[in-house]
Protein backbone atom coordinates (compact mmCIF):
# COMPACT_ATOMS: atom_id res chain seq x y z
CA UNK A 1 0.00 0.00 0.00
CA UNK A 2 1.30 3.46 -0.89
CA UNK A 3 1.11 5.43 2.38
CA UNK A 4 1.24 8.78 0.61
CA UNK A 5 -1.79 7.89 -1.50
CA UNK A 6 -3.70 6.38 1.44
CA UNK A 7 -3.03 9.37 3.70
CA UNK A 8 -3.89 11.88 0.98
CA UNK A 9 -7.19 10.23 0.13
CA UNK A 10 -8.11 9.90 3.78
CA UNK A 11 -7.51 13.60 4.42
CA UNK A 12 -9.37 14.71 1.31
CA UNK A 13 -12.36 12.42 1.87
CA UNK A 14 -12.79 13.65 5.42
CA UNK A 15 -12.04 17.34 5.02
CA UNK A 16 -13.72 17.94 1.65
CA UNK A 17 -16.99 16.82 3.22
CA UNK A 18 -16.33 19.16 6.14
CA UNK A 19 -15.63 22.08 3.74
CA UNK A 20 -18.81 21.29 1.80
CA UNK A 21 -20.85 21.40 4.99
CA UNK A 22 -19.19 24.66 6.07
CA UNK A 23 -20.47 26.20 2.85
CA UNK A 24 -23.97 24.99 3.66
CA UNK A 25 -23.86 26.35 7.23
CA UNK A 26 -22.59 29.74 6.07
CA UNK A 27 -25.42 29.91 3.54
CA UNK A 28 -27.98 29.18 6.25
CA UNK A 29 -26.69 32.10 8.30
CA UNK A 30 -26.74 34.76 5.60
CA UNK A 31 -29.67 37.17 5.27
CA UNK A 32 -32.18 36.96 2.40
CA UNK A 33 -30.58 40.00 0.74
CA UNK A 34 -27.07 38.53 0.83
CA UNK A 35 -27.55 36.95 -2.58
CA UNK A 36 -23.91 37.35 -3.64
CA UNK A 37 -22.59 35.68 -0.51
CA UNK A 38 -25.18 32.91 -0.77
CA UNK A 39 -24.20 32.29 -4.39
CA UNK A 40 -20.52 32.11 -3.45
CA UNK A 41 -21.26 29.68 -0.60
CA UNK A 42 -23.26 27.52 -3.02
CA UNK A 43 -20.34 27.60 -5.48
CA UNK A 44 -17.95 26.34 -2.81
CA UNK A 45 -20.47 23.67 -1.83
CA UNK A 46 -20.47 22.39 -5.43
CA UNK A 47 -16.66 22.54 -5.65
CA UNK A 48 -16.09 20.46 -2.54
CA UNK A 49 -18.94 18.08 -3.32
CA UNK A 50 -17.19 17.37 -6.62
CA UNK A 51 -13.81 16.96 -4.88
CA UNK A 52 -15.37 14.56 -2.37
CA UNK A 53 -16.97 12.52 -5.18
CA UNK A 54 -13.74 12.34 -7.18
CA UNK A 55 -11.71 11.34 -4.12
CA UNK A 56 -13.76 8.14 -3.89
CA UNK A 57 -12.96 7.29 -7.51
CA UNK A 58 -9.25 6.93 -6.73
CA UNK A 59 -7.85 3.71 -5.30
CA UNK A 60 -4.92 2.92 -3.03
CA UNK A 61 -2.92 1.76 -6.09
CA UNK A 62 -3.45 5.03 -7.98
CA UNK A 63 -0.23 6.52 -9.35
CA UNK A 64 1.16 8.80 -6.60
CA UNK A 65 1.90 11.53 -9.17
CA UNK A 66 -1.82 11.71 -9.99
CA UNK A 67 -2.66 12.04 -6.29
CA UNK A 68 0.03 14.69 -5.88
CA UNK A 69 -1.65 16.77 -8.60
CA UNK A 70 -5.05 16.18 -6.99
CA UNK A 71 -3.65 17.33 -3.64
CA UNK A 72 -2.42 20.54 -5.26
CA UNK A 73 -5.81 21.19 -6.84
CA UNK A 74 -7.63 20.59 -3.56
CA UNK A 75 -5.16 22.73 -1.60
CA UNK A 76 -5.91 25.63 -3.97
CA UNK A 77 -9.66 25.14 -3.39
CA UNK A 78 -9.07 25.06 0.37
CA UNK A 79 -7.07 28.31 0.10
CA UNK A 80 -9.94 29.95 -1.80
CA UNK A 81 -12.60 28.92 0.72
CA UNK A 82 -10.27 30.06 3.53
CA UNK A 83 -10.08 33.51 1.90
CA UNK A 84 -13.88 33.60 1.50
CA UNK A 85 -14.39 32.74 5.15
CA UNK A 86 -11.93 35.43 6.29
CA UNK A 87 -13.68 37.97 4.06
CA UNK A 88 -17.05 37.04 5.60
CA UNK A 89 -15.53 37.32 9.09
CA UNK A 90 -14.34 40.82 8.25
CA UNK A 91 -17.81 41.87 7.09
CA UNK A 92 -19.38 40.53 10.28
CA UNK A 93 -16.84 42.19 12.58
CA UNK A 94 -17.32 45.51 10.77
CA UNK A 95 -21.10 45.20 11.34
CA UNK A 96 -21.77 45.14 7.60
CA UNK A 97 -24.12 42.14 7.79
CA UNK A 98 -26.51 43.10 10.63
CA UNK A 99 -28.95 40.32 11.36
CA UNK A 100 -26.97 37.45 9.85
CA UNK A 101 -26.67 34.50 12.24
CA UNK A 102 -23.15 33.11 11.81
CA UNK A 103 -21.17 33.65 15.02
CA UNK A 104 -17.85 35.42 14.35
CA UNK A 105 -16.12 32.65 16.33
CA UNK A 106 -17.75 30.04 14.10
CA UNK A 107 -16.51 31.76 10.93
CA UNK A 108 -13.02 32.02 12.41
CA UNK A 109 -13.27 28.37 13.50
CA UNK A 110 -14.14 27.09 10.02
CA UNK A 111 -11.40 29.21 8.47
CA UNK A 112 -8.85 27.59 10.81
CA UNK A 113 -10.03 24.19 9.61
CA UNK A 114 -9.62 25.23 5.96
CA UNK A 115 -6.08 26.40 6.74
CA UNK A 116 -5.32 23.12 8.54
CA UNK A 117 -6.60 21.16 5.51
CA UNK A 118 -4.49 23.21 3.10
CA UNK A 119 -1.37 22.81 5.23
CA UNK A 120 -1.90 19.07 5.58
CA UNK A 121 -2.00 18.60 1.79
CA UNK A 122 1.08 20.77 1.28
CA UNK A 123 2.97 18.77 3.91
CA UNK A 124 2.00 15.52 2.21
CA UNK A 125 3.11 16.76 -1.20
CA UNK A 126 6.46 18.10 0.01
CA UNK A 127 7.14 15.22 2.39
CA UNK A 128 7.78 17.64 5.25
CA UNK A 129 6.75 15.40 8.11
CA UNK A 130 6.86 16.79 11.63
CA UNK A 131 8.77 14.71 14.17
CA UNK A 132 6.33 12.73 16.31
CA UNK A 133 6.79 14.86 19.50
CA UNK A 134 6.00 18.03 17.54
CA UNK A 135 3.04 16.45 15.79
CA UNK A 136 1.56 15.37 19.12
CA UNK A 137 1.66 18.88 20.57
CA UNK A 138 0.61 20.75 17.42
CA UNK A 139 -2.33 18.49 16.61
CA UNK A 140 -3.60 18.74 20.17
CA UNK A 141 -3.30 22.53 20.28
CA UNK A 142 -5.34 22.68 17.07
CA UNK A 143 -8.02 20.10 17.87
CA UNK A 144 -8.49 21.02 21.55
CA UNK A 145 -9.38 24.55 20.44
CA UNK A 146 -11.79 23.08 17.88
CA UNK A 147 -13.47 21.02 20.63
CA UNK A 148 -13.64 24.04 22.95
CA UNK A 149 -15.31 26.04 20.19
CA UNK A 150 -17.83 23.27 19.50
CA UNK A 151 -18.85 23.26 23.15
CA UNK A 152 -19.48 27.00 23.03
CA UNK A 153 -21.52 26.75 19.82
CA UNK A 154 -23.67 23.98 21.28
CA UNK A 155 -24.37 25.92 24.48
CA UNK A 156 -25.41 28.99 22.46
CA UNK A 157 -27.55 27.12 19.93
CA UNK A 158 -29.51 25.02 22.41
CA UNK A 159 -32.73 26.64 23.54
CA UNK A 160 -32.11 28.51 26.83
CA UNK A 161 -34.84 26.40 28.43
CA UNK A 162 -32.68 23.28 27.98
CA UNK A 163 -30.88 24.27 31.17
CA UNK A 164 -29.20 20.95 31.96
CA UNK A 165 -27.80 20.49 28.46
CA UNK A 166 -26.69 24.12 28.26
CA UNK A 167 -24.85 23.72 31.57
CA UNK A 168 -23.20 20.49 30.39
CA UNK A 169 -22.01 22.24 27.22
CA UNK A 170 -20.60 25.11 29.29
CA UNK A 171 -18.74 22.65 31.50
CA UNK A 172 -17.19 21.05 28.42
CA UNK A 173 -16.25 24.53 27.19
CA UNK A 174 -14.44 25.28 30.46
CA UNK A 175 -12.76 21.86 30.48
CA UNK A 176 -11.42 22.25 26.95
CA UNK A 177 -10.33 25.85 27.53
CA UNK A 178 -8.15 24.51 30.37
CA UNK A 179 -6.81 21.73 28.14
CA UNK A 180 -5.97 24.27 25.42
CA UNK A 181 -3.95 26.35 27.90
CA UNK A 182 -2.18 23.20 29.16
CA UNK A 183 -1.30 22.31 25.57
CA UNK A 184 0.01 25.82 24.89
CA UNK A 185 2.13 25.62 28.04
CA UNK A 186 3.56 22.26 26.99
CA UNK A 187 4.25 23.72 23.55
CA UNK A 188 6.10 26.73 24.95
CA UNK A 189 8.31 24.41 27.02
CA UNK A 190 9.56 22.63 23.88
CA UNK A 191 11.84 20.79 23.36
CA UNK A 192 12.45 20.07 27.05
CA UNK A 193 8.78 19.11 27.55
CA UNK A 194 8.83 16.45 24.84
CA UNK A 195 9.57 13.45 27.01
CA UNK A 196 7.63 10.24 26.54
CA UNK A 197 6.12 10.32 30.08
CA UNK A 198 4.87 13.91 29.69
CA UNK A 199 3.52 13.40 26.16
CA UNK A 200 1.90 10.12 27.16
CA UNK A 201 0.12 11.73 30.12
CA UNK A 202 -0.88 14.64 27.87
CA UNK A 203 -2.47 12.31 25.31
CA UNK A 204 -4.16 10.14 27.94
CA UNK A 205 -5.73 13.11 29.72
CA UNK A 206 -7.00 14.60 26.48
CA UNK A 207 -8.46 11.27 25.36
CA UNK A 208 -10.63 11.08 28.48
CA UNK A 209 -12.11 14.53 27.83
CA UNK A 210 -12.56 14.01 24.09
CA UNK A 211 -14.35 10.70 24.65
CA UNK A 212 -16.74 12.37 27.09
CA UNK A 213 -17.42 15.22 24.65
CA UNK A 214 -17.81 12.77 21.76
CA UNK A 215 -20.45 10.87 23.74
CA UNK A 216 -22.25 14.10 24.65
CA UNK A 217 -22.29 15.16 20.99
CA UNK A 218 -23.63 11.75 19.95
CA UNK A 219 -26.45 12.00 22.49
CA UNK A 220 -27.26 15.55 21.41
CA UNK A 221 -27.22 14.52 17.75
CA UNK A 222 -29.61 11.64 18.39
CA UNK A 223 -31.95 13.80 20.48
CA UNK A 224 -32.00 16.48 17.78
CA UNK A 225 -32.70 13.89 15.08
CA UNK A 226 -35.62 12.57 17.14
CA UNK A 227 -36.89 16.11 17.87
CA UNK A 228 -36.64 15.41 21.60
CA UNK A 229 -34.86 18.63 22.62
CA UNK A 230 -35.36 22.29 21.80
CA UNK A 231 -32.60 23.99 19.82
CA UNK A 232 -31.77 25.84 16.62
CA UNK A 233 -29.04 23.31 15.81
CA UNK A 234 -29.34 21.88 12.30
CA UNK A 235 -29.20 18.04 12.44
CA UNK A 236 -26.29 18.10 9.97
CA UNK A 237 -24.32 20.42 12.27
CA UNK A 238 -24.89 18.04 15.18
CA UNK A 239 -23.48 15.17 13.12
CA UNK A 240 -20.67 17.38 11.76
CA UNK A 241 -19.23 18.20 15.20
CA UNK A 242 -19.62 14.55 16.27
CA UNK A 243 -17.53 13.40 13.29
CA UNK A 244 -14.79 15.90 14.11
CA UNK A 245 -14.59 14.57 17.68
CA UNK A 246 -14.32 11.04 16.28
CA UNK A 247 -11.51 12.23 14.01
CA UNK A 248 -9.60 13.72 16.94
CA UNK A 249 -10.05 10.53 18.95
CA UNK A 250 -8.63 8.40 16.15
CA UNK A 251 -5.60 10.73 16.00
CA UNK A 252 -5.10 10.48 19.77
CA UNK A 253 -5.33 6.69 19.56
CA UNK A 254 -2.55 6.63 16.97
CA UNK A 255 -0.39 8.89 19.12
CA UNK A 256 -1.07 6.64 22.10
CA UNK A 257 0.05 3.58 20.12
CA UNK A 258 3.21 5.31 18.97
CA UNK A 259 4.13 6.42 22.49
CA UNK A 260 3.53 2.95 23.91
CA UNK A 261 6.00 1.47 21.44
CA UNK A 262 3.53 -0.06 19.00
CA UNK A 263 4.83 -0.05 15.43
CA UNK A 264 2.96 2.85 13.93
CA UNK A 265 4.54 4.43 10.90
CA UNK A 266 4.91 8.19 11.32
CA UNK A 267 3.17 8.70 8.00
CA UNK A 268 0.10 7.08 9.48
CA UNK A 269 0.00 9.67 12.25
CA UNK A 270 -1.68 12.40 10.29
CA UNK A 271 1.11 13.17 7.90
Amino acid sequence: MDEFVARSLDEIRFWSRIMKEHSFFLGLGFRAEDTGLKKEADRFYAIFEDIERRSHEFQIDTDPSIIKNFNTEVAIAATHIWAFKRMVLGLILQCKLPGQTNFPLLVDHISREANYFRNRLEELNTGRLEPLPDAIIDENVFFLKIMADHSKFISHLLDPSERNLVEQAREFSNDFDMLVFQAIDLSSMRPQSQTVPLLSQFVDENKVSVKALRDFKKTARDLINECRIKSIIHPLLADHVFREAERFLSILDMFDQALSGAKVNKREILH
Side-chain angles (χ1 to χ4, degrees), residues 6 56 67 81 128 188 204:
H56 288 281
I67 298 301
I81 197 171
R128 293 196 320 268
S188 71
D204 287 348

Side-chain angles (χ1 to χ4, degrees), residues 129-136 266:
L129 306 182
E130 272 195 315
L132 179 64
D134 286 324
I136 289 173
K266 266 199 301 189

Side-chain angles (χ1 to χ4, degrees), residues 206-219:
N206 292 344
K207 273 177 70 174
V208 171
S209 292
V210 178
K211 281 179 181 175
L213 179 59
R214 186 270 316 269
D215 292 345
F216 174 74
K217 287 175 173 177
K218 183 178 185 299
T219 300

Side-chain angles (χ1 to χ4, degrees), residues 5-6 29 44 49 60 81 98 113 119 139 159 169 203 209 224 231-232 235 241 249 253:
V5 172
F44 278 116
E49 185 172 54
I60 297 300
I81 197 171
E113 293 185 344
N119 289 340
E139 291 299 319
D159 189 78
V203 170
S209 292
I224 288 166
S231 81
I232 56 171
V241 298
L249 264 183
D253 283 341

